[in-house]
Amino acid sequence: MSTTQGTLSGKLALVAWIIFHPLAAGANDLQMPTGDVVLSVTGNIAATNDGNAAIFDEDMLRALGETTFETTTIWTDGVQSFTGVSLKDLLDELGVDNGTLEARALNDYAVEIPVSDAVDGGPIVAYARNNNAMSIRDKGPLWIVYPYDSNDDYASETIYSRSIWQLDRIDVQD
Amino acid sequence: MENLRQSYVFRNLAIAFAAVLGIAVAVYLGGEVLRKLNLLETAASDNVQWTLSQVEVEFLDLDLATKSYMIGDIDDLDVIRREFDIFYSRIGTLSEGDLYLGLRNETTFADALATIRGFLEAAVPIIDSTDSEMEADLPELSRDIDAIRLPVRELSATGLTYFAEQADMRRGETADTLAFLAAVTLAVLSALALVSIVLFRVNRINVQRAATIEMSSRRMATIVQSSLDAIVAVDRAGRIIEFSAAAEEIFGHRKSDVVGRDMGEIIVPDALRGAHEAGMSRYRETGEKRVAGKGRINVEAIRADGTVFPVEISIQSADSSDGEIFVGFLRDISRRVAAERELVEARDKAVAGEKAKSEFLAVMSHEMRTPLNGLLGTLSLLKDTRLTSKQADYVDNLQVSGDLLLSHINDVLDVTKYEAGALTIKPVPTDLSALVQNVVDSQRDLGSEAGNTIQWRWVGEPLHHVMTEPMRLSQVLINLVGNAVKFTQNGTITIELLAENTDTGADLTILVQDTGIGIAPEDIERMFQDFATADTSYGRARSGTGLGLGIARRLVTALGGKIGAESELGEGSTFWVRLPVTLAAPVGKTRETAATADNHHAERRNVLIIEDNEINRIVLKDMLLAEGHRVTEAVDGLEGVDHAQQQPFDLILTDISMPVLDGIAATQVIREKHGPNHTTPIYAVTAHAMPDEINRFLQAGMSGVLAKPINRAELRKILASRQLEPTQQSTQTVIVNEKSVEGLRRDIGIETVSNLYRKFRTDASTILNDMSEHPPQTDPRPKIGHLSHKLAGSASIFGAEEFVQSLRDIEQDATSNEDTTLILKKVEAAKGVWKSTEAVLDRAFKE
């Protein structure tokens, strides 16, 4: 399992970026996306780069750390390998440690995820399945996936409903 | 009771089994419920209704986006592309997701899904083409979208129906599970209830048992602690496990000090410890118990202070949870033993006192009879001299007084003799009427002196011949009649005999009634005690030693009867005797005339008298001379031995108590020396009439006893005895002389004779064997001579005449150095004689 390693390398990268980046005057500033924006986070967050919002392209997400696990899902056939940034790393980056996330998908599916779900070994914001980037047809580009097989607690309808695919927006609420 | 108990046990077992089974079922079912609840908890489904409705929504979004572009409402083809991708993704989920596996097996759903997937695959090239190409293909895409409107509808409708059914099924399962859970809960509760009942019962039983056990153990503890006997329990190893309060008191040990220690070290004295330990180890090795369970045993124990004392113990073994234990009950019997010892000492003292009395009487009688012997003997000699008639009267008076004195002394001697156990009864057929007549005759003269008439009669049917001892019975009657005469003057003495038949013979009652002065009732009991005399009696001449009735009582008791008296002062007395008798056939006159020695004309004998008392010696000498015998005198034992060495005598009469050498020692010397008199009959002339003394005389080699004062008839009998016949004249030797046997039995009692005979019989066998065995190359004759002499001396005492004859013959041959072979043949012959002699003597003496 590369979760810890990924998280650690993500943190080291962040530390290195804060120390060596010329514009790192304030901790609340994020890098600006250079590619297509895949995720925008609004609401009660400490770090922003687009007004009150934090917007990310895929490279920025990859830079936050890479967590990979294998699991089956009720929506797919057979064991799948998911790679992405752990929800915890993402929220740490945004300075979020409590409250509720209102996640929305391209098809306007919306679900509330408590911040407390974001733990080590917990859900990730996946950007690759079986080492391939996910297209919209393939529930991409982002999919919040829980390691269903490693924890029976994740085999519940609530968790299934929180497993939002085609994710593009998160609003952090108190 | 046992059955009830068994069924009770079975029922409890059944309940326990049911409870265990119930618990097992409950555990299993509970597990099932948990598993099902787990299944419910891990949801296998997403919110499928939403997903399915989303299919239609997203399809309509795609349709709307396409149509909006075509009518110009929107101008961005990417909107269409995004809606397509979303729809594509949705259909992908339905095609691939495990969630919809069941649904995909529904034909309607599968067909609709295939149609939609066909549309999507066909549309992908249009969507992925450039804007201009796509714009050109839009009308076709719109038509295709319209074509799948119905399948999309069917897809969501079928899915909803399916999942509704699934939900129903799931609810049913949940309901079942809950019902199941309820059932399981009930089962568990039932099982728990059963378990509770069982536990309650078990607990109640245990409580009852505990109470019972506690009560009985408390009771036992009370018994143990309150027992007056010490109770000590030990285990197999002999270690003390219980030590009662009484044990603490008796042994002086505290229980807490001795529990767990070896009992042998605590209460067994040193002298017995070895035996105790041997017993314990024997028990441990073999399981043999010699003391336990064998009742009461008296042993010794030791106290804490070291004193050893007697205890009575009883040990029982018992099984306990720790194996076999021994429980000992110990009673301190030191007081009892001390009391017993005191009693024994008191009795010993009393017996010793009695013995001293007897000895005193014996000595006194001896001392009195010796001068009396002289007096009466001299009187009888005086009567033979020429006397004036007056002198003859005086001599007669002296004779009467002397006789009376002698009878008193004889009474005393009788008592001492009976006390010494010489009173044996030998019943013979007896004519009762003749016996009573003789008694009356003997007393008539005495009675008439006081003016009394003596008469006798049978009351009722008379008995003629019965088995009894006539001499003893006569003596009793003489005593009673004599007593009656003494206390009656000018009256009548009546003897009445009364017989009542019984199973075994008859009860004979003899009444001796007088018309005399009578006895006070309170004195009657005393009358039968020794030396008891009533205060008054007629005439000093009739006063007695007071022993008569005491002797009568002893004799009647020895005969198996009772004696008593009834009397009132002034009314006369009635003495009664009751005897059980057996009837006997009348006998001839042969026995009555057996003693004919008086008439037998004696041979002229050569007699040696050894006597230190001059008067006695002279009296005896004169008696013998008067009978025509030759007499040699010796004044003590030593002189007697000298005479005996010089010439042979036919008879030796010796006193016992003499200076220098007494009669017994003299006899032994004469018997041991091979002089001319070593087989000569030697008679003790003595007032020592005690049975054990007679034994001593016989053992010393004497042939018999002649009691002082000397009775001429007895003396004549001895002189006429066949024993004194010279051997060569003995032509009619018998195996055993019956008279000798009779005399021995009469004089010293059958018991003593039997003892003597047993000893003699053993000696005879040994000596006969010794005579025929001798080392080679030696001359056996001296030994044979000596042994045959010795054996002949003993055999003659028992009247074994033939045997004595053969032994004398052997002795003669041996001393005159005859041929050894001949002598040994004679020894063998003597053994044959001994066999027949032994048979006869066995009959005579083995009672």
Side-chain angles (χ1 to χ4, degrees):
Chain A
M1 182 70 77
S2 58
T3 308
T4 310
Q5 212 170 15
T7 308
L8 192 59
S9 62
K11 278 181 177 172
L12 286 172
L14 181 65
V15 167
W17 181 81
I18 289 168
I19 292 171
F20 299 112
H21 197 276
L23 296 176
N28 290 347
D29 292 335
L30 286 172
Q31 192 187 359
M32 290 305 292
T34 53
D36 292 339
V37 172
V38 290
L39 178 65
S40 66
V41 184
T42 56
N44 191 14
I45 54 176
T48 56
N49 56 2
D50 183 25
N52 290 329
I55 52 174
F56 296 89
D57 60 11
E58 197 178 318
D59 286 344
M60 285 173 69
L61 289 176
R62 283 184 186 278
L64 288 178
E66 191 178 280
T67 301
T68 301
F69 57 73
E70 293 186 340
T71 186
T72 59
T73 78
I74 58 172
W75 310 279
T76 52
D77 184 17
V79 177
Q80 309 292 321
S81 168
F82 291 97
T83 305
V85 58
S86 93
L87 187 59
K88 186 171 188 300
D89 287 348
L90 176 64
L91 294 181
D92 285 350
E93 174 67 20
L94 295 170
V96 175
D97 55 10
N98 58 54
T100 307
L101 310 178
E102 190 189 64
R104 280 186 173 272
L106 294 172
N107 62 353
D108 288 330
Y109 175 78
V111 70
E112 289 188 345
I113 299 172
V115 171
S116 59
D117 268 12
V119 293
D120 288 332
I124 59 173
V125 179
Y127 39 73
R129 176 154 75 110
N130 300 329
N131 292 321
N132 296 318
M134 294 183 289
S135 65
I136 295 173
R137 289 176 201 167
D138 211 12
K139 298 187 176 61
L142 298 176
W143 185 359
I144 293 182
V145 182
Y146 289 71
Y148 312 102
D149 290 352
S150 64
N151 191 337
D152 278 350
D153 289 345
Y154 293 147
S156 73
E157 287 190 22
T158 307
I159 296 298
Y160 294 153
S161 70
R162 290 175 188 166
S163 302
I164 183 171
W165 61 72
Q166 294 164 339
L167 171 74
D168 70 340
R169 285 158 286 167
I170 293 174
D171 185 44
V172 181
Q173 301 173 339
D174 289 336
Chain B
M1 191 65 200
E2 193 59 22
N3 280 345
L4 266 174
R5 197 185 185 85
Q6 274 185 358
S7 73
Y8 188 66
V9 167
F10 278 131
R11 203 174 56 189
N12 269 351
L13 276 177
I15 290 174
F17 181 72
V20 168
L21 197 67
I23 289 167
V25 168
V27 165
Y28 170 74
L29 296 181
E32 279 293 290
V33 169
L34 278 177
R35 201 175 58 79
K36 291 192 173 186
L37 286 174
N38 264 335
L39 282 178
L40 284 176
E41 201 176 48
T42 57
S45 64
D46 197 349
N47 195 337
V48 289
Q49 278 88 351
W50 194 85
T51 304
L52 288 169
S53 61
Q54 236 9 58
V55 172
E56 262 195 296
V57 169
E58 285 162 7
F59 169 74
L60 290 174
D61 282 349
L62 174 61
D63 185 34
L64 181 63
T66 308
K67 291 204 164 61
S68 297
Y69 187 87
M70 285 169 72
I71 61 172
D73 272 5
I74 54 169
D75 53 2
D76 189 357
L77 284 171
D78 281 349
V79 176
I80 299 173
R81 286 193 179 99
R82 202 181 65 180
E83 296 302 342
F84 178 85
D85 283 353
I86 290 170
F87 182 61
Y88 187 100
S89 170
R90 181 68 61 190
I91 295 303
T93 303
L94 291 178
S95 306
E96 293 167 20
D98 290 343
L99 194 56
Y100 308 100
L101 198 61
L103 192 52
R104 288 199 292 273
N105 288 334
E106 298 282 320
T107 318
T108 320
F109 183 86
D111 289 350
L113 190 60
T115 308
I116 294 164
R117 283 177 65 92
F119 154 75
L120 288 173
E121 294 311 316
V124 163
I126 299 169
I127 298 297
D128 289 350
S129 62
T130 58
D131 283 358
S132 55
E133 285 168 348
M134 187 178 160
E135 199 169 354
D137 288 337
L138 266 185
E140 186 194 342
L141 186 66
S142 180
R143 269 199 314 277
D144 288 346
I145 289 172
D146 286 342
I148 62 163
R149 189 175 301 276
L150 191 62
V152 167
R153 184 86 202 153
E154 274 177 356
L155 197 68
S156 60
T158 315
L160 284 172
T161 310
Y162 174 79
F163 280 106
E165 283 168 4
Q166 289 286 309
D168 281 350
M169 218 168 5
R170 183 67 64 87
R171 266 196 302 281
E173 272 178 22
T174 305
D176 285 351
T177 301
L178 288 176
F180 190 52
L181 178 63
V184 167
T185 305
L186 195 64
V188 169
L189 283 177
S190 304
L192 284 176
L194 273 177
V195 169
S196 302
I197 288 168
V198 170
L199 287 179
F200 177 73
R201 279 168 169 277
V202 168
N203 184 50
R204 200 176 54 186
I205 289 165
N206 282 344
V207 166
Q208 277 172 357
R209 278 190 192 151
T212 311
I213 288 168
E214 200 193 330
M215 202 192 294
S216 72
S217 78
R218 212 179 295 151
R219 202 181 299 135
M220 276 310 296
T222 308
I223 290 168
V224 168
Q225 289 306 320
S226 59
S227 165
L228 293 177
D229 290 348
I231 297 175
V232 178
V234 299
D235 62 12
R236 266 180 72 92
R239 286 187 300 265
I240 293 174
I241 53 182
E242 178 59 56
F243 204 73
S244 71
E248 289 183 327
E249 195 176 322
I250 288 172
F251 291 104
H253 289 290
R254 293 246 308 276
K255 180 182 177 181
S256 53
D257 295 338
V258 297
V259 164
R261 291 177 61 191
D262 183 17
M263 185 191 76
E265 290 174 11
I266 306 294
I267 63 171
V268 178
D270 294 347
L272 296 175
R273 197 162 298 153
H276 165 74
E277 277 162 12
M280 285 302 289
S281 60
R282 181 184 59 236
Y283 161 70
R284 279 193 290 271
E285 281 161 22
T286 66
E288 186 190 354
K289 289 173 269 191
R290 292 221 181 134
V291 180
K294 299 289 157 63
R296 296 173 173 191
I297 298 169
N298 289 353
V299 292
E300 287 188 330
I302 187 165
R303 296 187 217 273
D305 62 9
T307 51
V308 174
F309 64 106
V311 285
E312 183 182 80
I313 63 170
S314 164
I315 298 177
Q316 296 295 331
S317 64
D319 288 324
S320 79
S321 54
D322 302 325
E324 191 167 30
I325 63 168
F326 295 97
V327 182
F329 300 84
L330 302 95
R331 180 173 299 174
D332 183 348
I333 54 168
S334 38
R335 274 188 206 159
R336 194 173 87 193
V337 168
E340 280 171 2
R341 197 183 302 127
E342 276 170 25
L343 267 179
V344 168
E345 278 169 12
R347 190 202 61 198
D348 287 351
K349 272 184 197 162
V351 168
E354 274 299 304
K355 199 167 174 233
K357 190 180 87 182
S358 289
E359 281 168 4
F360 171 73
L361 288 172
V363 171
M364 278 302 290
S365 71
H366 172 75
E367 294 301 324
M368 288 191 291
R369 284 216 301 195
T370 303
L372 190 60
N373 183 31
L375 197 66
L376 290 173
T378 310
L379 273 179
S380 84
L381 290 175
L382 189 59
K383 272 168 90 175
D384 291 345
T385 60
R386 203 174 296 161
L387 299 170
T388 65
S389 64
K390 208 166 194 176
Q391 283 172 328
D393 283 350
Y394 293 157
V395 169
D396 280 346
N397 289 344
L398 283 173
Q399 185 89 47
V400 169
S401 297
D403 283 344
L404 189 62
L405 184 55
L406 186 60
S407 88
H408 289 343
I409 291 171
N410 282 341
D411 277 357
V412 173
L413 264 178
D414 277 351
V415 170
T416 52
K417 216 152 69 172
Y418 301 155
E419 288 296 306
L423 187 57
T424 52
I425 299 298
K426 181 91 178 161
V428 294
T430 305
D431 182 343
L432 276 175
S433 298
L435 185 144
V436 176
Q437 185 61 54
N438 280 339
V439 169
V440 170
D441 289 347
S442 72
Q443 297 293 310
R444 185 158 284 145
D445 290 348
L446 205 59
S448 54
E449 282 176 26
N452 293 321
T453 311
I454 303 177
Q455 57 188 32
W456 76 275
R457 63 168 179 266
W458 277 98
V459 178
E461 196 66 24
L463 284 178
H464 296 294
H465 288 88
V466 298
M467 294 299 287
T468 188
E469 160 103 44
M471 257 170 60
R472 303 302 188 199
L473 186 55
S474 297
Q475 208 172 341
V476 171
L477 291 180
I478 286 168
N479 266 313
L480 293 181
V481 173
N483 200 56
V485 168
K486 243 188 266 180
F487 296 99
T488 308
Q489 203 142 26
N490 300 321
T492 308
I493 292 145
T494 309
I495 304 172
E496 288 184 344
L497 289 89
L498 179 66
E500 292 168 81
N501 286 325
T502 62
D503 292 345
T504 53
D507 276 342
L508 176 65
T509 306
I510 303 171
L511 302 175
V512 179
Q513 296 164 309
D514 65 54
T515 55
I517 56 170
I519 311 157
E522 62 270 22
D523 288 335
I524 290 177
E525 192 62 31
R526 204 168 53 86
M527 297 293 295
F528 293 98
Q529 291 170 4
D530 292 339
F531 305 108
T533 50
D535 288 340
T536 53
S537 63
Y538 295 104
R540 200 167 291 165
R542 295 289 165 258
S543 68
T545 53
L547 287 170
L549 289 175
I551 291 167
R553 175 176 57 80
R554 286 182 174 82
L555 292 173
V556 170
T557 306
L559 289 167
K562 285 180 177 169
I563 189 168
E566 284 157 23
S567 182
E568 274 181 40
L569 278 175
E571 297 294 316
S573 308
T574 300
F575 284 78
W576 54 263
V577 171
R578 271 192 203 97
L579 288 179
V581 289
T582 50
L583 304 180
V587 287
K589 292 276 177 183
T590 44
R591 277 177 187 275
E592 291 171 24
T593 55
T596 52
D598 274 2
N599 304 331
H600 194 275
H601 202 73
E603 297 282 329
R604 182 183 164 84
R605 306 293 194 191
N606 191 11
V607 181
L608 172 62
I609 299 170
I610 310 172
E611 169 69 84
D612 63 328
N613 183 303
E614 194 183 1
I615 296 172
N616 283 347
R617 194 169 65 239
I618 289 167
V619 168
L620 190 53
K621 183 184 81 176
D622 286 357
M623 277 184 181
L624 288 166
L625 290 176
E627 298 286 328
H629 303 294
R630 281 197 289 130
V631 174
T632 305
E633 292 171 80
V635 295
D636 59 47
L638 197 61
E639 197 182 323
V641 171
D642 282 347
H643 284 298
Q645 288 300 106
Q646 286 158 18
Q647 56 164 307
F649 291 99
D650 294 319
L651 175 67
I652 298 171
L653 299 174
T654 178
D655 187 21
I656 298 299
S657 307
M658 286 183 294
V660 188
L661 193 66
D662 71 13
I664 293 171
T667 303
Q668 284 167 338
V669 173
I670 293 169
R671 290 282 182 243
E672 280 161 19
K673 286 194 174 174
H674 295 278
N677 292 297
H678 66 259
T679 59
T680 304
I682 302 174
Y683 276 75
V685 182
T686 180
H688 293 278
M690 306 299 285
D692 56 340
E693 285 180 318
I694 292 173
N695 289 348
R696 272 174 57 225
F697 303 160
L698 294 179
Q699 276 163 9
M702 290 190 182
S703 312
V705 175
L706 183 62
K708 287 181 187 174
I710 291 157
N711 178 310
R712 278 193 179 186
E714 284 296 313
L715 184 59
R716 280 190 200 125
K717 217 187 274 180
I718 291 168
L719 287 163
S721 163
R722 284 182 192 157
Q723 264 185 30
L724 307 187
E725 298 288 334
T727 40
Q728 54 269 39
Q729 290 174 13
S730 179
T731 48
Q732 39 178 339
T733 311
V734 292
I735 295 177
V736 173
N737 185 334
E738 280 188 33
K739 270 195 224 163
S740 303
V741 171
E742 200 68 30
L744 275 174
R745 282 212 286 234
R746 189 183 57 239
D747 292 345
I748 61 177
I750 186 63
E751 204 176 320
T752 313
V753 181
S754 292
N755 285 337
L756 281 175
Y757 169 64
R758 270 196 293 279
K759 186 178 181 314
F760 164 69
R761 199 176 52 173
T762 314
D763 286 352
S765 305
T766 314
I767 291 172
L768 282 171
N769 283 335
D770 281 358
M771 282 166 73
S772 52
E773 282 173 12
H774 58 88
Q777 314 296 328
T778 56
D779 185 356
R781 284 172 295 198
K783 190 180 87 171
I784 291 175
H786 169 66
L787 289 175
S788 56
H789 171 79
K790 187 174 161 190
L791 189 54
S794 312
S796 61
I797 296 171
F798 296 96
E801 291 187 358
E802 190 181 346
F803 186 47
V804 170
Q805 184 64 52
S806 54
L807 289 169
R808 294 235 165 94
D809 193 19
I810 293 167
E811 184 192 356
Q812 184 74 35
D813 285 355
T815 45
S816 49
N817 286 329
E818 291 285 342
D819 180 47
T820 307
T821 320
L822 176 75
I823 294 173
L824 287 174
K825 270 185 187 166
K826 285 188 175 178
V827 169
E828 290 309 308
K831 284 182 181 175
V833 175
W834 167 239
K835 279 266 176 269
S836 44
T837 305
E838 189 182 23
V840 176
L841 289 176
D842 276 358
R843 274 199 301 279
F845 296 126
K846 282 186 83 176
E847 296 296 312

